[in-house]
Amino acid sequence: MAEAHQAVAFQFTITPEGMDLQLSYQALHQIYRSGLRSWKKRISRMQNRVIKGVYPASPSSWLFVVIAILATMYMRSDPSMGLIAKIQQHLPLSSQGQTMLSALVFSTLLWLSVILALRFCLKLLLSYHRWMFEKHGRTSTTTKVWVTLLRLLSGRKPLLYSYQTSLPHLPVPTIKDTLSRYLESVQPLLTGPGFERMTGLANQFESSLGNRLQRYLKLKALWATNYVSDWWEEYIYLRSRGPIMVNSNYYGMDFLYVTPTSVQAARAGNTITALLLYRRKVNREELKPVEIRSTLSDTLVQFQAVWKTGLISDITNVLQHWQDSEFVAVYHRGRFFRLWVYQAGRLLSPREIQSQVQRILDDPSPPQPGEEKLGALTAGDRVAWSEVRKRHFCAGVNRRSLDVIERAAFFVTLDEEDQGMRGDDPAGNLDRYAKSLLHGKCYDRWFDKSFSIIVYKNGKNGLNAEHSWADAPTVAHLWEYTLATDAFQLGYTEDGHCKGEVDRSLPHPQRLLWDIPSEAQVSSSLAVAQQLADDVDCHVFPFRDFGKGRIKKLRISPDAFIQLSLQLAYYRDRGGFCLTYEASMTRLFREGRTETVRSCSNESCDFVKALAGGEKWKRESKLEQLFRRAAEKHQNLYRLAMTGDGIDRHLFCLYVVSKYLGVDSPFLKEVLSEPWRLSTSQTPLQQMELFDLKNNPEFISLGGGFGPVADDGYGVSYIIVGEDMINFHVSSKHSCSGTVSLTHKHTHTHTHTPSMPPLANCPVMHDGVMLRTLRPSVW
């Protein structure tokens, strides 16, 4: 009750003597400070809008133009070539006032015209992508001139979103080029008759329906900012009615070797603080624009959605956007809490947040009926969650409590388990750590939140992210900042507690109240989610034999090296090849998201077959030449995907247009139904360079992972750490007898050929055979 009384700014009572007014100066002061903080944020945002609006010029350049025009007029010269005189004719002022005002109007128009011209030039420069296709160390004269002009136009320190309007739109490839690349990508996967049939379907599509669909798609590209992103978000993520846990959400891990503190509340305090400091930097646009090899990329929509977005299950999934909130939602031992992280406009210190978290950990109250496993609704089928939401969460106490969770800045789980690479079975514990982050107990995460933070009992942490609002590089950017700020800026005391002072008068975290009439649907959703979680097999594999340093000395792209290694591993595992998905970013374009790199190519298959053919093949087929050809092919495919000439997003959009028009295409239908049995993705590292990894090698990141895309396939995520390490995250499903993430882990029966090691074992890495193919002197 004490906290409630403090929150009231004034009270009054009516007595026979009159009205007795009582003011709470402390509450009034808090209201004043909160309002002051709100106005400061508004002014800062208005200032940033002005700076972004005139970029690549600066607001002060307007004054320079005005002074230059006035100085020229003072010398009795007319720089406007008569325009100032025409403007004077329409101004009802005195002669001197007309001259001054018309000069200001002309100067402003000239200034705005120059800004538009500069922005147009910057857009043209950012549309140049030939530099990506040039060999390392062989920069053309055109590219050198381009770099110089780009630096001149973008020399002033930009804000986070300054380049947003200057980025080019994603181009629509030609039908002919897309179909040609598609047929080339499936040629190694199809038999002779099968490839001939697919070629016939493609030719028929190109000569008939394809050009009609292409015209509609080009019309959309002229109208929309990005012709792919909105349809990709809606039809790939929001229209799905299956569970998003495992199937869509992904996870990120803590440091591999280091846990900054073993105090759970302290780690939560610093982690929450670091995340909110990141939000402050995003709001103030103090982060540098994200660059890809010194070229700007677009993350505006995804950065803005980090804190304001949540998934709501309705007829379809809906991305709901809210204003910034001053609290986080916390789950511990079956109870939900609202934890305020601001007081009177002030961000609480890490020690204060630790103190509040400790209050939650010490709270002995039991869960309310139906509360403990309520989060399972977000883990099960979306239709069931939508129906329960409409029946029980549209009004009353349930609506208010659900609002708190959905409007919270993010969700925090205070887990009761210990996790990490520890104990007598470090490898097995890493695998359990991955599964815990991917799905937990299926009810102790809120999978609809844009991201959820998990802090374990031993101080280890991690996150689980919902996929529809952003792609992994955006979340990796956020998580990299959080880990670095936690360990290197905020720090801990010698006894493992957060730094800072504590205001003991802070109100306690608030328990959320629920009125759950029946737990039947919660139990049903939990059963669906539990079956899915039990079916997932995860293996985390830190590979330390060598890393990108040794690979780059051989003048080979580390990503191409790894992708070819995965092709060889899959071939040894399954005895063949499969359609392979590698995620590539299209952030060189406005509102760009992802494109697919089809890593299984004719060249990669030729190399793998030669390498798997035995000693005779090693001598006779010139493996080094085959390998370099395959690696260069992969790099070229990656460059094409990044520069808007990919295959799959174009075909996907053509398919969507065909559905809108109500026409059927056997070719598109077959293409869109092909399974991705090997789905891969590289997690970016050191996007922000907040600390020197070379001098702090113990602070290496494990990266993150995701579930398998196909029931009979693998999900492989990898992160290239420093010069000497590559971390792999491999997932598969127990229900498929042909896929095993790690053979010796499990006792369940799988039919598995001993001569074909499972994918996660990465035999190509262990025996160093890939390196030997590039070092003939070692043969």
Side-chain angles (χ1 to χ4, degrees):
M1 290 299 293
E3 295 83 9
H5 283 298
Q6 290 176 7
V8 180
F10 66 91
Q11 303 177 25
F12 67 89
T13 55
I14 299 177
T15 65
E17 290 78 17
M19 186 173 66
D20 181 19
L21 181 63
Q22 298 176 354
L23 294 176
S24 172
Y25 291 101
Q26 182 181 2
L28 288 173
H29 181 64
Q30 290 181 358
I31 292 172
Y32 165 75
R33 291 182 61 185
S34 181
L36 188 64
R37 173 177 174 270
S38 178
W39 275 105
K40 284 182 178 179
K41 285 177 63 177
R42 291 179 186 176
I43 294 172
S44 176
R45 286 174 178 172
M46 288 176 60
Q47 180 181 354
N48 287 341
R49 286 195 191 104
V50 173
I51 295 173
K52 287 184 301 184
V54 302
Y55 195 85
S58 64
S60 59
S61 63
W62 173 82
L63 185 60
F64 173 80
V65 174
V66 170
I67 292 174
I69 296 296
L70 291 176
T72 307
M73 292 177 64
Y74 180 77
M75 299 173 64
R76 300 189 180 280
S77 177
D78 184 7
S80 69
M81 294 181 291
L83 287 177
I84 291 178
K86 289 185 178 181
I87 295 173
Q88 282 180 330
Q89 297 174 5
H90 297 83
L91 298 177
L93 297 173
S94 62
S95 177
Q96 187 175 0
Q98 283 182 338
T99 303
M100 181 62 69
L101 185 58
S102 59
L104 288 175
V105 171
F106 173 76
S107 300
T108 303
L109 293 175
L110 178 62
W111 179 64
L112 293 175
S113 300
V114 171
I115 289 172
L116 291 175
L118 290 174
R119 190 173 291 173
F120 178 74
C121 292
L122 186 58
K123 192 168 189 175
L124 288 178
L125 289 172
L126 293 174
S127 300
Y128 174 80
H129 298 136
R130 274 184 53 192
W131 58 270
M132 293 190 66
F133 296 87
E134 295 176 353
K135 291 186 177 180
H136 185 70
R138 299 181 182 179
T139 307
S140 66
T141 303
T142 304
T143 299
K144 290 178 181 177
V145 173
W146 169 75
V147 170
T148 302
L149 292 174
L150 188 61
R151 287 176 178 173
L152 286 174
L153 277 181
S154 58
R156 190 172 65 85
K157 184 179 179 181
L159 297 175
L160 179 59
Y161 307 137
S162 292
Y163 294 98
Q164 174 67 14
T165 56
S166 299
L167 288 168
H169 289 199
L170 183 68
V172 181
T174 65
I175 286 280
K176 184 177 181 180
D177 287 345
T178 298
L179 294 181
S180 175
R181 295 187 188 111
Y182 169 77
L183 290 174
E184 183 183 3
S185 72
V186 298
Q187 188 175 8
L189 306 175
L190 298 174
T191 59
F195 182 71
E196 290 178 5
R197 185 184 68 83
M198 185 56 73
T199 302
L201 288 175
N203 292 335
Q204 181 185 7
F205 173 75
E206 181 182 5
S207 61
S208 57
L209 183 60
N211 290 322
R212 180 188 173 193
L213 301 180
Q214 180 80 345
R215 286 193 293 271
Y216 280 99
L217 199 56
K218 285 186 174 181
L219 184 63
K220 186 196 175 186
L222 290 173
W223 176 257
T225 305
N226 188 298
Y227 78 92
V228 175
S229 295
D230 57 338
W231 284 350
W232 186 255
E233 178 182 289
E234 180 177 358
Y235 294 107
I236 298 301
Y237 296 114
L238 302 184
R239 291 290 184 96
S240 174
R241 299 283 76 195
I244 61 174
M245 183 196 77
V246 175
N247 293 328
S248 178
N249 286 31
Y250 53 97
Y251 64 87
M253 284 185 163
D254 196 2
F255 298 119
L256 175 59
Y257 300 120
V258 174
T259 304
T261 179
S262 60
V263 180
Q264 185 179 19
R267 192 74 197 278
N270 266 11
T271 301
I272 292 171
T273 302
L275 287 165
L276 295 171
L277 291 176
Y278 183 88
R279 181 176 75 172
R280 179 188 291 174
K281 283 186 172 290
V282 170
N283 289 340
R284 294 178 179 177
E285 301 187 38
E286 293 174 350
L287 295 173
K288 292 181 180 179
V290 178
E291 297 183 356
I292 300 175
R293 286 181 61 184
S294 301
T295 299
L296 299 147
S297 64
D298 180 29
T299 50
L300 169 64
V301 175
Q302 298 184 23
F303 272 130
Q304 290 178 334
V306 172
W307 318 99
K308 307 176 182 181
T309 304
L311 200 63
I312 293 179
S313 184
D314 206 330
I315 297 174
T316 65
N317 293 324
V318 178
L319 276 176
Q320 184 68 49
H321 302 278
W322 291 281
Q323 295 298 317
D324 284 348
S325 60
E326 297 188 346
F327 59 88
V328 298
V330 180
Y331 178 93
H332 176 246
R333 217 173 61 231
R335 294 103 26 99
F336 292 88
F337 295 82
R338 169 158 54 182
L339 171 59
W340 291 95
V341 291
Y342 283 87
Q343 185 188 39
R346 175 184 69 87
L347 175 61
L348 301 184
S349 70
R351 189 61 181 265
E352 287 174 325
I353 296 178
Q354 175 189 344
S355 175
Q356 295 292 77
V357 171
Q358 191 61 52
R359 286 175 170 177
I360 294 175
L361 293 172
D362 295 339
D363 189 326
S365 60
Q368 301 162 73
E371 180 183 18
E372 180 181 9
K373 299 180 180 179
L374 194 61
L377 292 171
T378 67
D381 288 328
R382 307 303 292 176
V383 174
W385 176 207
S386 175
E387 292 173 352
V388 172
R389 185 188 184 95
K390 291 176 182 177
R391 283 202 306 267
H392 303 303
F393 293 88
C394 286
V397 64
N398 289 342
R399 173 69 268 179
R400 291 192 294 272
S401 295
L402 184 61
D403 266 347
V404 169
I405 295 175
E406 293 181 337
R407 293 176 185 272
F410 49 89
F411 191 83
V412 179
T413 294
L414 301 174
D415 206 294
E416 297 178 87
E417 297 178 346
D418 292 341
Q419 293 292 352
M421 189 175 70
R422 56 191 175 78
D424 297 330
D425 183 19
N429 285 329
L430 270 183
D431 298 347
R432 285 183 280 274
Y433 180 24
K435 279 182 66 68
S436 176
L437 290 173
L438 184 61
H439 53 68
K441 297 176 182 176
C442 302
Y443 60 80
D444 54 350
R445 318 280 188 257
W446 200 267
F447 294 100
D448 287 355
K449 287 299 290 181
S450 55
F451 68 94
S452 299
I453 300 300
I454 300 95
V455 184
Y456 294 98
K457 192 174 182 180
N458 62 340
K460 215 68 181 169
N461 69 4
L463 65 78
N464 181 287
E466 198 275 312
H467 208 326
S468 62
W469 64 275
D471 301 304
T474 301
V475 176
H477 193 274
L478 156 78
W479 194 234
E480 182 180 322
Y481 177 91
T482 302
L483 292 179
T485 302
D486 170 22
F488 292 95
Q489 294 184 24
L490 299 177
Y492 298 88
T493 61
E494 291 183 0
D495 55 353
H497 293 284
C498 295
K499 298 177 181 178
E501 301 298 326
V502 178
D503 181 358
R504 300 296 178 184
S505 66
L506 290 173
H508 283 65
Q510 300 169 333
R511 275 291 303 273
L512 301 187
L513 303 178
W514 307 93
D515 180 16
I516 310 299
S518 172
E519 297 184 40
Q521 189 54 64
V522 174
S523 300
S524 176
S525 294
L526 179 59
V528 171
Q530 195 67 60
Q531 183 180 7
L532 178 60
D534 291 343
D535 195 26
V536 175
D537 188 17
C538 293
H539 179 53
V540 181
F541 172 50
F543 177 74
R544 305 180 182 89
D545 291 9
F546 57 86
K548 73 173 183 180
R550 192 171 175 189
I551 297 171
K552 291 177 74 172
K553 286 180 180 178
L554 302 171
R555 297 186 179 277
I556 294 291
S557 159
D559 183 71
F561 184 95
I562 294 170
Q563 285 292 327
L564 290 172
S565 300
L566 293 174
Q567 290 297 316
L568 178 57
Y570 187 90
Y571 183 81
R572 289 181 170 182
D573 180 41
R574 303 296 296 273
F577 301 101
C578 70
L579 196 61
T580 304
Y581 181 110
E582 181 186 4
S584 167
M585 304 305 297
T586 56
R587 293 193 297 178
L588 294 173
F589 303 96
R590 193 168 177 182
E591 294 185 14
R593 290 202 63 165
T594 61
E595 178 57 275
T596 303
V597 180
R598 293 180 168 232
S599 301
C600 183
S601 62
N602 287 314
E603 290 78 2
S604 68
C605 291
D606 289 343
F607 166 71
V608 169
K609 288 177 182 177
L611 185 60
E615 293 298 325
K616 180 180 178 181
W617 281 101
K618 287 184 182 181
R619 289 192 300 269
E620 295 180 358
S621 63
K622 299 181 180 179
L623 279 176
E624 182 178 1
Q625 182 180 354
L626 287 174
F627 179 78
R628 292 191 181 277
R629 187 184 303 163
E632 182 57 37
K633 177 65 175 181
H634 177 81
Q635 279 297 95
N636 192 58
L637 291 174
Y638 204 99
R639 296 178 188 119
L640 288 171
M642 287 186 66
T643 53
D645 286 321
I647 300 170
D648 291 275
R649 299 301 179 269
H650 186 202
L651 294 178
F652 163 76
C653 288
L654 291 173
Y655 180 77
V656 173
V657 173
S658 73
K659 290 302 177 183
Y660 276 126
L661 296 178
V663 295
D664 189 47
S665 167
F667 170 73
L668 291 177
K669 187 175 181 180
E670 184 162 342
V671 170
L672 270 294
S673 63
E674 293 170 341
W676 300 96
R677 291 191 174 89
L678 184 54
S679 180
T680 70
S681 179
Q682 180 184 170
T683 303
L685 181 66
Q686 293 291 87
Q687 297 184 79
M688 306 181 72
E689 298 181 353
L690 295 174
F691 66 95
D692 187 356
L693 190 60
K694 187 175 182 180
N695 293 327
N696 299 276
E698 69 276 15
F699 286 92
I700 62 173
S701 172
L702 271 168
F706 53 89
V709 174
D711 289 340
D712 59 346
Y714 291 103
V716 182
S717 174
Y718 54 94
I719 180 171
I720 301 172
V721 185
E723 298 293 314
D724 304 305
M725 186 180 221
I726 305 171
N727 287 327
F728 291 89
H729 299 250
V730 183
S731 63
S732 60
K733 290 193 174 181
H734 296 312
S735 56
C736 176
S737 61
T739 58
V740 187
S741 292
L742 189 63
T743 310
H744 60 74
K745 275 177 55 180
H746 305 289
T747 56
H748 49 76
T749 57
H750 278 179
T751 57
H752 192 67
T753 307
S755 61
M756 295 182 182
L759 192 67
N761 281 345
C762 282
V764 295
M765 296 291 190
H766 283 296
D767 61 18
V769 70
M770 295 289 281
L771 277 181
R772 285 203 292 273
T773 65
L774 302 176
R775 299 284 298 277
S777 60
V778 184
W779 293 351

